[in-house]
Amino acid sequence: MPILAANWKMYKTIGEAKAWLDAVAGAPGLGQAEVIVFPPLTALAALRPKATRIALGAQDVGWADAGAFTGMVSAPQLRDAGCGFALVAHSERRRYACEDDPAAARKIAALWGAGLTPVYCVGEDAAERASGQGEARLKQQLDTVLDALSGELGGRLLIAYEPLWAIGSGRPATPGEASQAAELIRERVRLCCGQAAAHEVGVLYGGSTSPATVRGFMDEPQIDGLLVGSASLDPRSFLAMLEVMVDA
Ligand code: 13P
């Protein structure tokens, strides 16, 4: 089943989040794709009772299960709040909250420990791409984390390729570029964790996706789904993306 995930970032009040869910909840395509919403934490409780065919996720997670960690929310707490997923090391967390690869590995382990699915975000920036260092950056982000996890998957793992130059720029990667990155991701997982793990891992693309670009990405066999930012905020464009995805 293809995966369509909505990362709302720091947008939407509780009322706006509920209105979005009301608009999307009856969509026929919901049974044919795995739909995951990453709302702000403040909206989780309001969405939970209505999110029957939509999974909920958090945009970040603490690496400890409990303790004196002001401002953090743990994986067991997210499970308790109805989350099945969490983003890990989104580029905006890397940039604004100094999140690094070792912290990402701890967060992934914490999520698996609580039975949640991590969505580990990787991607190179414009300068790395321009200087031909894009692949090296991806390998570093993947190998550091997979090695720290002892080369074993402790649960389901989704990896999102989100090149920084594409996020919020209106210029998505081409399906070919995204597919090449997805291939590299599976290759690193195979080398670190074995063939079965490489087969099982789900690879998403994210960065300026829109209804017009869904089909191109979903035509690539290496890509299992999309992680959508701004085009997910309006339920109409999100539903348009879902429609294309389940038709593809
Ligand atoms: P945009 O779709 O707004 O480029 O954001 C992508 C993203 O960061 C999803 O996590």
Side-chain angles (χ1 to χ4, degrees):
M1 213 186 300
I3 300 165
L4 186 60
N7 174 12
W8 289 352
K9 309 191 178 186
M10 202 170 68
Y11 292 104
K12 291 196 189 294
T13 61
I14 293 170
E16 289 164 349
K18 279 178 162 168
W20 185 98
L21 198 63
D22 285 341
V24 167
L30 284 181
Q32 298 161 60
E34 185 173 16
V35 175
I36 311 161
V37 181
F38 296 88
L41 288 178
T42 47
L44 275 177
L47 295 182
R48 186 179 189 176
K50 295 179 169 188
T52 49
R53 295 195 296 159
I54 292 175
L56 294 176
Q59 297 173 17
D60 184 34
V61 61
W63 36 258
D65 280 355
F69 299 105
T70 301
M72 290 193 196
V73 176
S74 73
Q77 286 172 323
L78 291 179
R79 186 187 52 207
D80 187 40
C83 288
F85 297 81
L87 302 181
V88 173
H90 188 280
S91 62
E92 287 146 20
R93 302 289 311 164
R94 291 182 189 265
R95 181 170 177 196
Y96 300 118
C98 303
E99 184 124 334
D100 58 12
D101 296 334
R106 295 178 76 181
K107 290 180 177 200
I108 291 170
L111 288 164
W112 281 337
L116 274 72
T117 298
V119 183
Y120 178 47
C121 302
V122 298
E124 79 284 4
D125 67 22
E128 287 160 346
R129 181 188 194 216
S131 62
Q133 294 301 304
E135 276 200 8
R137 179 74 182 120
L138 283 186
K139 281 182 192 162
Q140 180 196 18
Q141 289 172 335
L142 292 160
D143 293 359
T144 311
V145 162
L146 294 169
D147 286 348
L149 294 166
S150 316
E152 264 183 50
L153 300 194
R156 186 180 177 202
L157 178 63
L158 301 179
I159 299 180
Y161 172 58
E162 296 210 312
L164 275 70
W165 46 268
I167 295 176
S169 68
R171 284 180 290 112
T174 64
E177 287 169 328
S179 176
Q180 215 176 325
E183 219 166 291
L184 181 144
I185 288 170
R186 277 187 217 285
E187 175 66 4
R188 299 326 287 180
V189 174
R190 187 183 68 76
L191 290 172
C192 291
C193 309
Q195 186 62 48
H199 187 70
E200 280 161 26
V201 76
V203 180
L204 311 181
Y205 168 75
S208 293
T209 52
S210 64
T213 56
V214 174
R215 191 174 300 274
F217 290 113
M218 297 316 295
D219 280 347
E220 296 291 340
Q222 292 284 343
I223 298 176
D224 300 302
L226 300 175
L227 178 55
V228 188
S230 54
S232 74
L233 294 173
D234 183 330
R236 287 167 300 187
S237 62
F238 187 76
L239 284 172
M241 293 179 85
L242 179 61
E243 240 169 72
V244 179
M245 190 175 265
V246 301
D247 270 2

